Amino acid sequence: MSTAKRLVSLVCLVLVFALVAGCAQKPAEPAKPAEQAKPAEPAKPAEPAEIKIGVVAPITGDVATFGVNTHRGVELAVKQLNDKGGVLGKKVVLKVEDDKNQPTETAAAVQKLITQDKVTAIIGSVASKCTLAGAPIAQSNKVPMISPTSTNEKVTQVGEYIFRACFIDPFQGAVMAKFAYENLKVKTAACLFDVTNDYTKGLAESFKANFEKLGGKVVEYQTYNVGDQDFKPQLTKIKAQNPDVLFLSDYYNTVGLIAKQVREMGLKCILLGGDGWDSAELGKIGGTAIEGGYFSNHYSKDAKNPEAVAFLDAFKKAYNEDPDALAALAYDATMILCDAIKRAGKLDGGAIKDAMSSTKDFKAVSGSITIDPATRNPIKSAVVLKVDKGGKFAFEALVNP
Amino acid sequence: MVEFVQQLINGISLGCIYALIALGYTMVYGIVRLINFAHGDIYMVGAYIGYLTAHRIGPHFFPALIIAMAGAATLGVTIEKIAYKPLRYAPRIAALTTAIGVSIFLENAVRKFISPNFLPFPEMIKRVPFEVRGVTFSNVQIIVPLVALLLVIVLQYIVLRTKPGRAMRAVSLDKDCARLMGVNVDKIVSITFAMGSSLAAAAGVLVGIAYPRIDPYMGVMAGLKAFVSAVLGGIGIIPGAALGGLFMGLAEVMAVHFINSAFKDAVAFVILIIVLLVKPSGLLGKYVSEKV
């Protein structure tokens, strides 16, 4: 008994000590950079010699290829800008944060970029659920934020400092509904999506609404939770209705897993999806099960506009890989932002946001971009890609708004 | 009707996996009265060992399964010796907190040293779908419950028919008294951790085969559900854990079938609450009066 008590008190002591030590250390740490910063400050009033831009992307986690390629796209754009003398005569410097595709991490990363790194603007994040968590912080600090790929409608509704470089889900859902009904000539569809994710949910909703408006029928509308691995109960329900197509609005990792179980259950329907499918990993997890599926996307590497051709070339040279839409949109987002900074002429959040919302006919990799000042959404077209043998993507159709 | 039978099969194959993880929870709790929250992560590490083995020697099921089980057993014993043994006489909350610490440590170690991303699990068993009167299932859906059943039988045999098994039961009844009777308690605790961890690793490899995608956090939700299964069946009781796992699997699937997929997890947990209200010691639990 007494040994137990002694142990407890020892543990408590250690804990208290650790706490005190931790507390003592914490204030000491930020003090250091402050001290270092102080002597530098008198020289500062002139103007910072560089432009700091924050990048928030899921470099690890369940959509890691999205984060890695987003980072590459931004990096490539910044390198090209700096090689040409930078923006406003200043060098562009990136501050990169990994949010692991978790909204809480995005919020923390945005907070850090604004308060500690004092960035001029932020590029990110990738997933809508993450951008939605980070955007309010950027908005309240009046720091312009542009997400390359967050397609959920609500993202830019956060405020006038929040932009994006991609089309939105209502459009994407309409594109796939139209493609299914008119190109594939199917009449019945089923949806299966992650109910905890703004992106997958919004996309499934818009697909359903549009498919029904065209005259098709959505026979099953099933959900699951993030992290689920077993979809057979839902697929059993879907199989009983025998739909022509199954709309899977999740990201490549989960889509690959679902596709395998779809074929295992003996379902013969065609698989459809959104831009979340765009990863070389899709075929690795989905195998042959995913072949023959179609998804809507922002960019196809077969695009022939001069910007896209130059980008494809530069990207291949830099990373020895074909770029995906994530890389293309990240590149575009960076160029749109830097174009706005140039036109604003100063590193002021308000001026940059005004310049950005007046972006007109900007020649980007993913097509010509005009930002609608009211909604801060770009107006642009979509492509439909087909998953071929070996998980390769082939251009199938171009759909205009 | 066809649909219902199909859902039954789905539920059983899912439930068997919960059961395998739940067995480890229940064994450790039965012996040392510790809720080992790192158990779900041992399951995850087991899956990764299977993954690495398959990459080294090719996608063979049995070698991968055995190496994963042996590796996880070693890991389980090491964790017990380093993290839990020094706290055996400390208040339970200290050991519980340590278990959470170990869990976070394992997740981050895998993130750091293997990969932070989702990995495709190698196809160790070629998937062959069957169809019988409209009900589809694959060989994997048969192999998983069979392997699970086999492991449970072996486990029951060890616990009920062998000498270490008898010592285990003695330790679980009264640790101090067992020691007086000459039982080496430390050794028995190590054996328990080794067995529980190897079962979790077996579940990890089976999950890898059934749902070919692994990530460092796969143990969190699976561990939680298995823990609930163990409590549902009556924590500390081995057949209870197996029953609880099957029950959870079936409850989830039937919730999708009869209500809506959005309520899947909610239904499982509501059932847990109801069972615990009516029978606080779990489905197979016996009421033990607390000695003052």
Side-chain angles (χ1 to χ4, degrees), chain A residues 41-260:
Chain A
E41 236 165 7
K44 198 187 147 199
E47 260 279 289
E50 50 188 34
I51 301 176
K52 281 192 211 163
I53 294 180
V55 178
V56 187
I59 292 164
T60 64
D62 60 343
V63 291
T65 70
F66 287 1
V68 169
N69 278 326
T70 299
H71 182 209
R72 284 171 170 177
V74 176
E75 211 175 41
L76 184 64
V78 167
K79 190 176 168 294
Q80 291 180 355
L81 287 166
N82 283 340
D83 285 351
K84 282 186 202 151
V87 177
L88 299 178
K90 295 183 180 65
K91 200 171 160 246
V92 179
V93 179
L94 293 178
K95 298 279 171 198
V96 184
E97 293 286 330
D98 174 17
D99 68 13
K100 307 182 185 116
N101 202 28
Q102 287 168 13
T104 48
E105 300 265 344
T106 316
V110 170
Q111 190 79 50
K112 177 181 173 269
L113 287 170
I114 294 172
T115 53
Q116 273 187 33
D117 297 326
K118 310 230 178 308
V119 296
T120 304
I122 293 173
I123 300 170
S125 178
V126 169
S128 298
K129 63 173 181 181
C130 289
T131 312
L132 278 168
I137 301 168
Q139 171 68 26
S140 62
N141 284 291
K142 299 197 172 21
V143 173
M145 178 166 174
I146 178 164
S147 166
T149 49
S150 293
T151 48
N152 189 284
E153 214 182 348
K154 284 180 271 176
V155 169
T156 53
Q157 291 167 2
V158 169
E160 78 266 27
Y161 282 85
I162 315 299
F163 296 83
R164 70 176 116 218
C166 51
F167 50 64
I168 54 174
D169 287 333
F171 171 62
Q172 191 173 193
V175 165
M176 284 321 281
K178 202 170 151 209
F179 177 78
Y181 195 81
E182 285 171 9
N183 296 41
L184 299 176
K185 303 205 183 334
V186 296
K187 297 281 174 279
T188 57
C191 296
L192 179 61
F193 60 96
D194 176 358
V195 74
T196 62
N197 186 325
D198 301 304
Y199 162 73
T200 61
K201 190 162 166 263
L203 189 51
E205 276 165 4
S206 91
F207 175 82
K208 181 172 187 266
N210 282 292
F211 193 68
E212 282 172 349
K213 209 162 71 191
L214 287 167
K217 213 175 148 210
V218 175
V219 289
E220 271 295 342
Y221 198 61
Q222 292 284 336
T223 64
Y224 51 87
N225 285 333
V226 64
D228 278 1
Q229 294 198 307
D230 184 74
F231 309 95
K232 294 201 188 89
Q234 290 93 325
L235 292 174
T236 302
K237 295 279 278 188
I238 290 170
K239 195 188 176 194
Q241 301 292 334
N242 196 22
D244 299 324
V245 294
L246 174 57
F247 189 69
L248 303 171
S249 51
D250 213 327
Y251 309 119
Y252 59 91
N253 251 311
T254 311
V255 167
L257 202 57
I258 298 175
K260 274 217 154 148

Side-chain angles (χ1 to χ4, degrees), chain B residues 94-162:
Chain B
L96 190 74
T97 315
T98 309
I100 295 170
V102 171
S103 153
I104 295 170
F105 171 78
L106 289 178
E107 282 159 16
N108 285 288
V110 170
R111 258 184 82 89
K112 174 82 190 148
F113 295 110
I114 302 180
S115 164
N117 304 327
F118 284 60
L119 295 175
F121 201 79
E123 199 168 42
M124 293 182 184
I125 298 173
K126 189 97 192 92
R127 225 167 267 266
V128 186
F130 297 98
E131 193 171 325
V132 180
R133 297 182 183 202
V135 180
T136 352
F137 51 94
S138 68
N139 52 345
V140 171
Q141 269 177 307
I142 301 171
I143 291 168
V144 169
L146 279 184
V147 173
L149 188 70
L150 188 77
L151 288 172
V152 171
I153 291 171
V154 170
L155 183 66
Q156 275 296 67
Y157 177 79
I158 292 174
V159 171
L160 295 179
R161 296 264 184 272
T162 64

Side-chain angles (χ1 to χ4, degrees), chain B residues 138-209:
Chain B
S138 68
N139 52 345
V140 171
Q141 269 177 307
I142 301 171
I143 291 168
V144 169
L146 279 184
V147 173
L149 188 70
L150 188 77
L151 288 172
V152 171
I153 291 171
V154 170
L155 183 66
Q156 275 296 67
Y157 177 79
I158 292 174
V159 171
L160 295 179
R161 296 264 184 272
T162 64
K163 216 170 165 197
R166 193 185 303 149
M168 270 170 146
R169 282 180 288 143
V171 172
S172 129
L173 272 179
D174 190 330
K175 195 162 40 186
D176 296 318
C177 191
R179 181 177 285 130
L180 289 175
M181 299 297 130
V183 173
N184 186 345
V185 173
D186 285 342
K187 203 173 120 197
I188 294 303
V189 170
S190 291
I191 293 176
T192 310
F193 266 89
M195 282 168 58
S197 303
S198 58
L199 284 175
V205 174
L206 291 177
V207 163
I209 291 166

